[in-house]
Amino acid sequence: MILSIDTSCDETAVAVVDGRRVLSNVIYSQVLLHKKWGGVVPSIAKRAHEERIDFVIQETLRKFFLSPVSDSFPPVLARSYPSTERRREPFLLDTQKKFQQIDYIAVTQGPGLAPALEIGIKKAKELAEKFNKKIISVNHLEGHIYSPFVQNSKGNPKIDFHFPYLVLTVSGGHTSLVIFEDHLKYKVIGETIDDAAGEALDKAAKLLGLGYPGGPVIERLAKEVDNRDFYNFPRPMVSSDNLNFSFSGLKTSFYYFLKKMNEKEKIKKIRELSSSFQQAVFETLIIKTEKAIKKTGIKNLALVGGVSANFYLRKLFRNLAKKYNGQVLFPSFKYLCGDNAAMIGVAASLKVQKNLFVSDIKNLDRIPRMSL
Ligand code: KG4
Ligand code: ZN
């Protein structure tokens, strides 16, 4: 039984997992705090994690003990802010007893925002010392890679591992192509040299005045015009032979394109603009993934990260896999696309099997630019 913590960006997330099964899971999203700034503000994220982490741990343990199996899935997203009274509650009143059921503590070490990561690591160390537990440190990207294999409390989906997989991670902070060779064995074969795919969608949405996060709004608007392409924005780096991505040039060309339009035109064409931008990003992802299939011969695909929630991108991925007679995996529940601690716990459970514990807990530190 592992209690896992992820505070890498703007979600305070805690879960209890048993192997691949998630027994309790709470995600306290900060999206409303960052919305008005049009993106995640590290200092605000840090403070919010600090204020909420004890509450989220308590809630996760409470749910775990309330109904260890049936009620614990899907997770409750604790959206309302805990009352001041609640926040002042002495931390973990009866937790001594509850922690007897927990074997290990897992925590995200990186990559992510340094001040945000720090809060989760500090808490993991505090708990490990107080309750005499070992710590497993997990790479956040490793968590995303395991996300299609995360099961609910009843052990569904029952899919097994059939290595190797070609994994495309697409989120607000990352875009990478990785060969998932075997448990805990990864080979990065391509990554973005500037903006991430989700970040590009968020920036385009901001330029269109659509708010943050941009991905879901752009998806909805694009669907209203059948995801068609009207403006043919550039597909960056698709003719180069390597598998790296670059989205900042696309963003710049979109910016100059919009500059030539007045507000009225922009609003009138908001669907066409959203759809064409999305198409440019997604087609780039597909072209590069197809190159990777040809280069590696690996036909079993997985699409993970926040942008993998997009149904249109999923459809494009399904078609790609079909073309090569391969299979494609997605995170089985929507919350597993975005940041969460369940995927961190599942990756940690494989590390437990290989005895990969943190040997020097006192010196465990965040690694904001941690690579796989
Ligand atoms: O994985 P995630 O929650 O956080 C990071 O680790 O970055 O990903 C957030 C990103 C944002 O850029 C957001 O716009 C994008 O995922 N996203 C989507 C959708 N839902 C979230 N992009 C496209 N379509 C969606 N439905
Ligand atoms: Zn993430």
Side-chain angles (χ1 to χ4, degrees):
M1 219 69 88
I2 299 176
L3 181 121
S4 52
I5 302 173
D6 183 285
T7 59
S8 59
C9 191
D10 60 343
E11 329 271 4
T12 314
V14 179
V16 174
V17 309
D18 180 6
R20 281 164 63 188
R21 291 188 310 130
V22 182
L23 302 183
S24 180
N25 178 40
V26 177
I27 301 167
Y28 199 153
S29 171
Q30 300 175 7
V31 73
L32 295 175
L33 295 179
H34 301 288
K35 220 178 175 89
K36 68 173 170 196
W37 307 103
V40 179
V41 184
S43 58
I44 295 178
K46 177 188 161 111
R47 233 194 86 195
H49 284 309
E50 235 165 9
E51 285 180 357
R52 298 167 177 195
I53 184 94
D54 285 350
F55 169 74
V56 176
I57 292 172
Q58 271 172 330
E59 278 299 288
T60 309
L61 286 173
R62 193 178 63 79
K63 281 172 196 300
F64 172 53
F65 279 92
L66 255 187
S67 48
V69 181
S70 61
D71 179 48
S72 53
F73 207 89
V76 169
L77 302 180
R79 289 207 180 276
S80 59
Y81 202 78
S83 69
T84 325
E85 272 58 50
R86 197 143 194 183
R87 270 187 282 142
R88 278 210 210 98
E89 253 177 42
F91 176 51
L92 304 177
L93 275 178
D94 56 345
T95 41
Q96 187 84 38
K97 207 173 80 218
K98 287 181 175 168
F99 265 91
Q100 282 173 5
Q101 298 273 323
I102 303 291
D103 301 301
Y104 308 105
I105 311 283
V107 66
T108 300
Q109 187 174 22
L113 298 173
L117 289 164
E118 187 189 310
I119 305 303
I121 292 176
K122 213 171 107 193
K123 185 55 66 181
K125 286 168 141 179
E126 184 189 311
L127 295 174
E129 196 187 346
K130 196 164 172 184
F131 301 111
N132 192 25
K133 308 286 176 195
K134 288 182 180 171
I135 294 186
I136 308 122
S137 65
V138 176
N139 183 311
H140 181 79
L141 298 173
E142 184 171 36
H144 277 297
I145 289 173
Y146 271 97
S147 65
F149 302 96
V150 174
Q151 298 174 324
N152 67 9
S153 59
K154 299 194 177 73
N156 290 316
K158 300 220 182 305
I159 48 161
D160 224 330
F161 293 91
H162 297 286
F163 295 109
Y165 295 95
L166 192 57
V167 185
L168 178 68
T169 305
V170 267
S171 72
H174 311 279
T175 301
S176 62
L177 273 166
V178 173
I179 303 177
F180 186 14
E181 294 174 326
D182 199 345
H183 284 305
L184 309 176
K185 273 192 161 171
Y186 323 94
K187 190 167 159 197
V188 182
I189 53 172
E191 55 196 336
T192 182
I193 58 168
D194 42 54
D195 293 352
E199 188 179 0
L201 293 169
D202 291 339
K203 285 178 175 169
K206 197 172 174 181
L207 291 172
L208 292 170
L210 295 173
Y212 171 85
V217 196
I218 290 193
E219 173 175 26
R220 211 177 60 234
L221 291 170
K223 198 172 166 231
E224 287 177 16
V225 287
D226 297 324
N227 300 307
R228 274 176 294 150
D229 190 359
F230 299 84
Y231 301 110
N232 201 26
F233 294 119
R235 274 61 171 156
M237 289 176 71
V238 287
S239 47
S240 82
D241 199 38
N242 66 46
L243 299 172
N244 289 334
F245 303 88
S246 161
F247 290 106
S248 79
L250 168 62
K251 176 196 68 196
T252 309
S253 91
F254 191 63
Y255 170 80
Y256 285 109
F257 189 86
L258 292 182
K259 239 182 142 176
K260 286 185 280 170
M261 295 173 101
N262 62 39
E263 274 311 299
K264 228 172 140 184
E265 270 178 296
K266 233 163 73 174
I267 291 168
K268 199 170 154 224
K269 294 285 179 200
I270 198 102
R271 290 171 186 78
E272 288 81 352
L273 289 163
S274 298
S275 185
S276 305
F277 188 86
Q278 181 181 265
Q279 189 63 29
V281 173
F282 288 179
E283 208 176 289
T284 307
L285 295 175
I286 295 292
I287 292 171
K288 288 287 181 176
T289 309
E290 182 161 11
K291 270 194 189 191
I293 296 174
K294 285 183 180 155
K295 259 192 179 166
T296 62
I298 301 171
K299 293 176 280 184
N300 284 342
L301 313 177
L303 179 68
V304 302
V307 186
S308 73
N310 189 293
F311 284 106
Y312 179 57
L313 182 60
R314 285 186 179 207
K315 185 177 152 193
L316 297 177
F317 248 72
R318 263 191 223 102
N319 292 345
L320 180 64
K322 214 161 147 193
K323 184 171 165 186
Y324 289 90
N325 280 325
Q327 284 182 330
V328 59
L329 297 175
F330 307 110
S332 344
F333 303 94
K334 195 176 173 207
Y335 86 91
L336 289 169
C337 298
D339 289 345
N340 66 87
M343 65 186 190
I344 302 302
V346 170
S349 74
L350 282 133
K351 288 192 151 184
V352 169
Q353 286 179 21
K354 300 200 172 174
N355 266 314
L356 295 170
F357 299 103
V358 173
S359 53
D360 180 6
I361 292 184
K362 273 205 168 59
N363 285 320
L364 176 68
D365 203 0
R366 67 206 178 174
I367 308 179
R369 294 181 160 274
M370 193 176 195
S371 49
L372 265 175

